[in-house]
Amino acid sequence: MLRKWLGLFSLLAGLLISGAVSAAGEYVLGAGDVVKIQVYDHPDLTTEVQLNNQGTLAFPLIGEVKLAGLTYTDAEALISKKLIQGGFIKKPNVNVLIVQYRSQRVAVLGEVNKPGRYALDSATDLIDLLAIAGGISGTGGDAVVVLRGEERIEYHLSKLTQLANPERRTIPILNGDTVYVPRAKQMYVYGEVNRPGAFKLEPKMTVMQALAVAGGFNPRAAKRSIEIHRVDDNGQLQKVEAKLTDLLLENDTVFVKESFF
């Protein structure tokens, strides 16, 4: 049990050092952040500096001070305390402003409109981050994968956006996460339809729905002669006579034959 608690403590400490979010949702400072520190009525102490790799900075009078793992309000209190303890200022009024958020970064990859690396300036959940990245592109699927260290977590947007789902806004994004949106599963419709081509495979999609997406039958179509072309587990192409209510699998091809009468 002791080992379990020590492991949990180490994990929490690591999150604070690397830049995280406090329980109250406040931004927690980390290495790389740029802060501006001002002391009321003491303009000579105004300092704008970047926290080094150890999360510390040098401040006039008090020297090196570690701010990593603190919110800006905690940082203000710590600097005030050190100024008082050193006998420099009796009642300092310290203000810490975060100029650049650099310690918390995440990557958004795959089928989003604006993939890239993003700096987080506050508590951010998965839905918020996808919005920051421009939303899911037209080729994106329903699945969203969060890579966190050695962990791989998969979510489905159709569930996260349901009003009745209590978890829909509680997927926090942490410093160092990679969010990946895979390409949507596809199916194909060819032959005598109005718009043949590749299309997004929706959950539980039927042959009838696939035909509708492809614009329906054209005048040459043999409406009772529809096949599903499907590659089996051995890589062999199978041709199956299809009914309109049949469910499609990923990479299926719906083929509508031509009528000769």
Side-chain angles (χ1 to χ4, degrees):
M1 179 61 73
L2 177 61
R3 182 177 297 177
K4 178 180 178 181
W5 282 109
L6 287 174
L8 178 60
F9 178 79
S10 298
L11 174 61
L12 292 174
L15 288 174
L16 288 175
I17 292 171
S18 62
V21 176
S22 72
E26 292 184 76
Y27 184 85
V28 173
L29 292 166
D33 287 332
V34 178
V35 297
K36 183 175 183 179
I37 304 172
Q38 297 172 301
V39 182
Y40 180 72
D41 247 0
H42 295 273
D44 53 313
L45 297 182
T46 297
T47 302
E48 184 171 322
V49 65
Q50 183 179 32
L51 273 67
N52 62 24
N53 291 336
Q54 287 71 47
T56 66
L57 55 79
F59 189 73
L61 302 178
I62 63 176
E64 192 171 86
V65 56
K66 185 170 185 177
L67 299 185
L70 303 179
T71 65
Y72 70 90
T73 52
D74 292 335
E76 290 170 349
L78 176 62
I79 294 171
S80 295
K81 180 181 178 181
K82 288 183 175 294
L83 288 171
I84 295 171
Q85 289 177 339
F88 303 113
I89 304 175
K90 290 185 177 180
K91 294 182 178 180
N93 186 348
V94 178
N95 177 259
V96 174
L97 174 68
I98 305 172
V99 178
Q100 295 184 37
Y101 298 88
R102 292 184 177 179
S103 66
Q104 293 191 57
R105 290 188 175 273
V106 296
V108 187
L109 306 174
E111 305 303 318
V112 293
N113 289 308
K114 294 188 295 183
R117 283 177 57 80
Y118 292 89
L120 303 181
D121 60 2
S122 61
T124 304
D125 66 23
L126 180 58
I127 299 296
D128 290 336
L129 182 61
L130 292 174
I132 293 170
I136 307 295
S137 69
T139 54
D142 184 56
V144 179
V145 178
V146 177
L147 303 176
R148 182 171 295 156
E150 300 297 320
E151 191 175 11
R152 182 185 187 277
I153 316 165
E154 184 170 316
Y155 301 99
H156 292 275
L157 287 176
S158 56
K159 293 183 178 179
L160 291 180
T161 53
Q162 291 176 1
L163 291 175
N165 185 353
E167 296 183 354
R168 72 186 190 95
R169 300 291 291 178
T170 57
I171 310 299
I173 295 299
L174 305 180
N175 179 37
D177 282 354
T178 295
V179 174
Y180 174 67
V181 179
R183 189 177 183 87
K185 295 179 180 180
Q186 290 187 310
M187 59 84 190
Y188 307 86
V189 184
Y190 286 105
E192 303 306 325
V193 292
N194 288 306
R195 293 195 304 271
F199 301 94
K200 183 176 180 178
L201 177 66
E202 302 291 349
K204 297 182 180 180
M205 194 172 200
T206 65
V207 171
M208 181 183 293
Q209 291 170 328
L211 292 172
V213 171
F217 298 112
N218 68 26
R220 299 183 301 276
K223 298 180 181 180
R224 296 181 182 276
S225 297
I226 306 172
E227 292 180 342
I228 296 176
H229 296 184
R230 179 176 294 161
V231 177
D232 63 20
D233 294 338
N234 297 318
Q236 301 298 312
L237 179 64
Q238 305 293 327
K239 297 181 180 180
V240 182
E241 290 295 326
K243 299 190 295 290
L244 294 179
T245 55
D246 286 347
L247 296 178
L248 295 176
L249 302 179
E250 183 177 4
N251 293 323
D252 277 356
T253 297
V254 176
F255 179 70
V256 179
K257 296 180 180 180
E258 182 179 1
S259 173
F260 295 100
F261 301 98

